[in-house]
Amino acid sequence: MIYLKRKIDQYLLEWKKNPNHNPLIVKGPRQVGKTESILRFANDNYESVIYINFVEDPKYKLICEDGYKTENIIKNISRMDPAKHFLKGKTLIFFDELQEFPEIATSLKFFKIDGRYDVICSGSLLGISYRRIENNSVGYKTDYELFSLDFEEFLWAKGYDNVTVEEMLSHMKTVTPFSQVEMSVYSELFLDYCILGGMPAVVREYIENGTFERTLEMQRQLIEDYKEDIRKYAEGVDQTRILNIFNQIPIQLARDNKKFQISKVAKGARFKDYRGCIEWLGSAGVISTCYCLNYPELPLKGNYDESKYKIYFRDTGLLVAMLDDEAQEDLRANKNLGVYKGALYENIVGEALVKCGYSLYYYKRENSTLEEDFFVRTKKSLLPVEVKATNRTAKSLRTMIKNQNYSDIQYGLKLTAGNIGFAENVYTFPYFCAFLLRRYLADVVY
């Protein structure tokens, strides 16, 4: 089985090199590659790897019976499995499926103080019980959030190296259009990525076989797995509400007005009854919530209406898997992303921004057609980001730039199927450049 190179690989190496590193908690939804990446790193860099999976081996939940100090936990693990060897300075202890036993987080303080062994914890749905984990280990852990593959990691999987990515970034910085060959190749790769999403198992199937065969089946199984997690981990009446929201996302994204309407989820549904359900899906790493700004100005945090929002899937492959059969056929046979009224483009850009580290915000002026899909910022200014399913004129973008009432906005970004360009203070980039926006904005002066 081929291993897909991930950005966490380099992060783990740097974590280990830091002589004062804390125990590490790797968060992320199910099947994004947490266990695979950590075990590969562990086996390459430690003489002894102690792997404990609290789902596969629930007996290990007893290792804290004598307390949370390192010597007590080591002693109990050794009693349960004498074959596990603890070598000072050469051992990694990997606690997997942390969501099944969040109490182990209390031990991280003692492992840090003891200092003899490195510790990594990992699990899905951690956001749901994370307050409990945080309380037990505050100040003695480092967090890392792992997503499904972004487009850069997808390019690596297809055999492209960092030189390719740097060349793409150079095109953006110098506002130099891509050649016809580059546009053709990168656009084709990006369309494949949009259809597949970034779940490692799905991407690996595509890479190994060179076709989309079986990928839809795998995506739909992932959907069922997520629904099963909701039934398993959500409590009481929230199970039904969470599932209703989950199933409504593609339906509501398909509308011209993509604002999520709770009233459409169920008869008599109200925001206050469903707010926690939306937060649950966000904490689980399944969705990203894009809030409507009160006014397009800095700062962004605190400047939004929490009752007005759009919901995007954290991995576009999940959205794709929920399309009807006719849309699936058109999408895979003709790579026609327009089958869903631009929802796929918007979701993929939202996904790219979240994977870059951005929070999501949009703006819709009351009693007006003025609307912007996303916003990003530099040190000094605010940049609206418009996602166009076609190469039409970005009217709202130009209105915002020219209107003196929006003093934080001087430039805008437009993402389309077309090439790089600049006109009327609007920078246009192909969709496939979205994953580079943060690096691009770090080096430009707006």
Side-chain angles (χ1 to χ4, degrees):
M1 185 174 72
I2 61 170
Y3 177 74
L4 301 177
K5 178 186 172 186
R6 304 297 304 277
K7 292 179 179 177
I8 192 177
D9 299 343
Q10 185 61 36
Y11 177 88
L12 291 171
L13 290 172
E14 292 171 2
W15 170 79
K16 187 179 189 300
K17 285 179 186 175
N18 181 353
N20 196 37
H21 61 253
N22 288 327
L24 180 65
I25 296 182
V26 178
K27 301 185 289 183
R30 63 150 64 227
Q31 297 188 46
V32 294
K34 299 182 297 295
T35 300
E36 182 181 15
S37 293
I38 295 167
L39 282 177
R40 181 181 174 88
F41 158 76
N43 292 325
D44 286 349
N45 292 277
Y46 292 87
E47 285 189 29
S48 178
V49 178
I50 311 298
Y51 177 62
I52 292 174
N53 184 310
F54 291 117
V55 169
E56 294 176 359
D57 288 306
K59 67 182 181 184
Y60 283 105
K61 293 179 183 179
L62 298 172
I63 60 177
C64 299
E65 286 290 296
D66 298 322
Y68 294 96
K69 289 187 176 179
T70 300
E71 58 266 30
N72 293 331
I73 290 175
I74 299 306
K75 192 182 295 181
N76 283 332
I77 292 174
S78 299
R79 282 174 180 154
M80 291 179 180
D81 186 356
K84 288 181 170 28
H85 300 296
F86 294 87
L87 309 175
K88 182 180 177 180
K90 300 176 181 178
T91 298
L92 176 72
I93 303 170
F94 178 15
F95 294 120
D96 203 3
E97 303 290 1
L98 180 61
Q99 77 279 359
E100 288 291 323
F101 189 54
E103 289 79 7
I104 194 65
T106 304
S107 71
L108 299 184
K109 172 182 178 180
F110 299 101
F111 276 111
K112 169 66 175 176
I113 294 169
D114 182 278
R116 287 178 290 167
Y117 314 108
D118 286 350
V119 179
I120 297 179
C121 300
S122 177
S124 54
L125 301 158
L126 287 186
I128 295 156
S129 57
Y130 208 66
R131 194 170 299 162
R132 193 162 145 207
I133 293 169
E134 181 72 27
N135 290 340
N136 291 343
S137 57
V138 64
Y140 295 95
K141 64 169 178 58
T142 298
D143 293 325
Y144 182 93
E145 187 167 12
L146 184 64
F147 302 101
S148 61
L149 279 77
D150 66 10
F151 187 52
E152 183 171 9
E153 291 170 318
F154 181 80
L155 288 173
W156 293 344
K158 289 289 289 182
Y160 294 88
D161 58 17
N162 291 332
V163 173
T164 301
V165 174
E166 288 303 316
E167 286 176 351
M168 292 170 74
L169 184 57
S170 177
H171 274 274
M172 295 173 71
K173 289 179 180 178
T174 58
V175 199
T176 304
F178 292 100
S179 70
Q180 193 171 346
V181 171
E182 288 171 324
M183 280 298 294
S184 175
V185 170
Y186 298 150
S187 297
E188 181 81 9
L189 286 164
F190 187 72
L191 283 170
D192 286 353
Y193 172 69
C194 289
I195 294 167
L196 293 161
M199 290 297 185
V202 178
V203 174
R204 185 180 289 113
E205 182 74 19
Y206 159 81
I207 296 293
E208 289 179 343
N209 295 317
T211 69
F212 291 119
E213 189 178 354
R214 285 199 68 242
T215 58
L216 176 58
E217 178 186 334
M218 296 174 75
Q219 286 172 318
R220 286 183 168 166
Q221 183 56 53
L222 275 168
I223 292 290
E224 293 307 311
D225 292 343
Y226 275 87
K227 288 180 179 179
E228 185 57 37
D229 279 346
I230 292 169
R231 295 184 189 99
K232 181 177 180 181
Y233 292 102
E235 298 176 359
V237 69
D238 279 353
Q239 289 183 14
T240 301
R241 287 176 176 167
I242 293 168
L243 283 168
N244 284 345
I245 290 171
F246 186 82
N247 291 327
Q248 270 285 312
I249 296 170
I251 297 168
Q252 299 213 21
L253 278 179
R255 299 200 316 256
D256 290 330
N257 174 18
K258 296 176 178 62
K259 174 189 167 189
F260 196 85
Q261 294 177 280
I262 287 294
S263 60
K264 304 287 186 184
V265 173
K267 188 175 181 180
R270 295 175 298 177
F271 172 69
K272 70 183 185 69
D273 296 326
Y274 278 79
R275 177 178 176 176
C277 302
I278 295 166
E279 290 175 353
W280 193 99
L281 285 167
S283 294
V286 178
I287 65 164
S288 297
T289 308
C290 181
Y291 290 102
C292 184
L293 292 174
N294 293 318
Y295 196 76
E297 63 183 359
L298 297 172
L300 294 174
K301 287 188 176 178
N303 174 29
Y304 62 87
D305 186 340
E306 64 179 15
S307 68
K308 296 177 182 176
Y309 50 88
K310 300 177 185 179
I311 297 177
Y312 299 105
F313 281 111
R314 197 72 66 88
D315 184 272
T316 303
L318 298 182
L319 172 59
V320 167
M322 295 176 78
L323 302 183
D324 58 47
D325 289 340
E326 290 76 21
Q328 288 287 348
E329 187 175 339
D330 195 8
L331 192 60
R332 283 171 159 74
N334 304 313
K335 296 187 178 177
N336 177 17
L337 269 71
V339 297
Y340 227 53
K341 297 183 181 178
L344 291 174
Y345 293 111
E346 221 172 284
N347 200 101
I348 201 78
V349 172
E351 176 188 341
L353 292 177
V354 168
K355 288 176 176 178
C356 283
Y358 288 111
S359 296
L360 300 184
Y361 302 98
Y362 77 102
Y363 180 65
K364 174 75 169 71
R365 192 164 72 188
E366 294 292 338
N367 304 317
S368 169
T369 58
L370 184 71
E371 182 172 6
E372 283 304 334
D373 300 315
F374 302 107
F375 288 85
V376 293
R377 63 165 301 174
T378 63
K379 290 179 182 179
K380 298 179 180 179
S381 63
L382 183 64
L383 284 88
V385 179
E386 193 153 318
V387 182
K388 285 290 186 185
T390 65
N391 285 333
R392 291 179 302 169
T393 304
K395 183 180 176 183
S396 291
L397 205 53
R398 286 172 170 76
T399 299
M400 280 196 152
I401 293 167
K402 291 176 181 177
N403 192 326
Q404 293 182 350
N405 291 326
Y406 305 122
S407 57
D408 289 331
I409 298 171
Q410 285 86 45
Y411 296 90
L413 303 172
K414 185 173 75 168
L415 293 165
T416 75
N419 213 325
I420 290 178
F422 177 72
E424 299 181 67
N425 283 19
V426 175
Y427 288 88
T428 300
F429 299 116
Y431 300 120
F432 59 74
C433 290
F435 77 98
L436 286 167
L437 281 181
R438 196 175 194 100
R439 273 177 270 181
Y440 164 73
L441 291 172
D443 291 334
V444 297
V445 180
Y446 287 157

